[in-house]
């Protein structure tokens, strides 16, 4: 019996791998690149609770929780130490056990396919309202098999309001589905362009920027008419 569905089509065999371009955004607007990140593990933030009636399962209540994750790195910028609750009182001198500070962050993950290979596309993850909690640090004596120490943190969030949507701390942008001009504008906000520094906005400003963008392709027919078609990659 013939079927219309097709599996494994060329160009649709995609996969994801890697993480890079980690940036921490401080409350004062400063953008700090974070080199040395090994992994970012996003926690499952959805739970389903079964509802039973007379011994039979009749429903599942799905509950969504705020964004949380863990991050590991072999090094980190000084600003991360301050975010986790260390206060700098002079050059190279820090007081521990102080107040942790909220921050925002972005990072990039790679997408590959069966035609273009690894990193043919990227997803940008933008995070708001974060708090950083350091894990235990295990300092050990050096032996004949030395290894680099890995630092770890837990990330929690307080999701901000997002207009008519549910509060969220995590926005994902798939470059392959975005118009080039919008992608360039968001890149400018996140990373700067060598002349202008990054101007990281609030989640409300970012959503407004995305929704205000015209997702239409306009073609001038050179006869006084124009063709307008929805943007679709």
């Amino acid at each position: 019996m013939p079927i219309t569905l097709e599996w494994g089509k060329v160009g649709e065999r995609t996969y994801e791998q890697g993480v890079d371009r980690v940036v921490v955004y401080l409350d004062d607007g400063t953008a700090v690149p974070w080199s040395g990140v090994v992994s970012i593990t996003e926690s499952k933030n959805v739970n389903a609770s079964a509802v039973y009636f007379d011994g039979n399962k009749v429903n599942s209540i799905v509950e969504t929780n705020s964004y949380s994750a863990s991050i590991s790195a072999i090094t980190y910028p000084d600003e991360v130490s301050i975010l986790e609750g260390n206060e700098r009182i002079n050059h190279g001198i820090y007081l521990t056990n102080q107040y942790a500070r909220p921050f925002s962050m972005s990072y990039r993950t790679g997408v590959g396919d069966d035609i273009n290979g690894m990193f043919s596309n990227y997803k940008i993850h933008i995070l708001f309202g974060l708090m950083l909690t350091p894990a235990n640090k295990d300092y050990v004596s050096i032996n004949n098999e030395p290894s680099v120490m890995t630092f770890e943190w837990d990330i929690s969030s307080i999701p901000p309001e997002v207009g008519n949507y549910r509060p969220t701390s995590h926005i994902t942008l798939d470059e392959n589905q975005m118009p080039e001009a919008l992608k360039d504008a968001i890149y400018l906000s996140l990373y700067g362009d060598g002349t202008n520094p990054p101007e990281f906005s609030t989640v409300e400003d970012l959503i407004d920027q995305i929704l205000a963008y015209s997702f239409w392709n306009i073609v001038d027919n050179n006869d006084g008419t124009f063709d307008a078609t929805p943007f679709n990659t």
Side-chain angles (χ1 to χ4, degrees):
M1 176 180 177
I3 59 176
T4 58
L5 298 180
E6 183 179 352
W7 289 263
K9 293 176 63 176
V10 175
E12 294 185 358
R13 305 167 191 169
T14 61
Y15 54 90
E16 298 188 27
Q17 69 176 130
V19 59
D20 64 2
R21 288 196 180 182
V22 182
V23 184
V24 171
Y25 304 94
L26 309 182
D27 273 353
D28 62 3
T30 302
V32 181
W34 187 344
S35 301
V37 170
V38 176
S39 67
I40 297 176
T41 304
E42 298 177 355
S43 301
K44 178 176 71 72
N45 65 346
V46 178
N47 297 310
S49 300
V51 178
Y52 288 85
F53 185 80
D54 289 341
N56 297 313
K57 184 176 180 180
V58 296
N59 197 7
S60 289
I61 299 177
V62 178
E63 177 185 3
T64 58
N65 302 310
S66 58
Y67 176 90
S68 61
S70 61
I71 184 170
S72 64
I74 59 174
T75 187
Y76 55 89
D78 292 341
E79 289 80 0
V80 169
S81 179
I82 296 174
L83 293 176
E84 68 181 35
N86 299 312
E87 190 71 26
R88 181 177 181 272
I89 62 173
N90 210 323
H91 298 286
I93 302 174
Y94 294 84
L95 296 180
T96 64
N97 199 32
Q98 304 304 302
Y99 292 106
R101 302 182 184 183
F103 67 101
S104 299
M105 187 171 72
S106 70
Y107 56 91
R108 187 178 72 166
T109 54
V111 179
D113 60 40
D114 55 324
I115 296 178
N116 301 304
M118 295 189 300
F119 308 121
S120 59
N121 181 35
Y122 292 95
K123 291 183 179 179
I124 307 299
H125 303 259
I126 307 175
L127 311 170
F128 302 87
L130 305 181
M131 297 296 290
L132 203 61
T133 305
N136 294 334
K137 297 177 181 177
D138 189 14
Y139 296 97
V140 297
S141 177
I142 296 177
N143 53 35
N144 60 348
E145 296 181 356
S147 60
V148 176
M149 180 176 178
T150 301
F151 302 95
E152 297 182 349
W153 299 261
D154 289 328
I155 299 175
S156 59
S157 67
I158 303 175
E161 297 289 336
V162 189
N164 297 324
Y165 302 93
R166 287 174 52 86
T168 183
S169 294
H170 186 191
I171 296 177
T172 303
L173 309 177
D174 189 333
E175 289 188 358
N176 194 45
Q177 302 180 34
M178 295 172 58
E180 195 71 23
L182 177 60
K183 181 176 69 176
D184 291 343
I186 293 177
Y187 263 43
L188 179 62
S189 297
L190 295 177
Y191 310 126
D193 63 358
T195 302
N196 301 297
E199 294 182 353
F200 189 70
S201 56
T202 64
V203 62
E204 295 90 349
D205 291 339
L206 179 61
I207 292 295
D208 288 343
Q209 180 185 18
I210 293 172
L211 294 181
Y213 190 87
S214 177
F215 287 85
W216 291 79
N217 290 318
I218 308 298
V219 178
D220 186 354
N221 297 320
N222 297 317
D223 59 1
T225 64
F226 297 84
D227 289 333
T229 57
F231 176 84
N232 185 6
T233 58

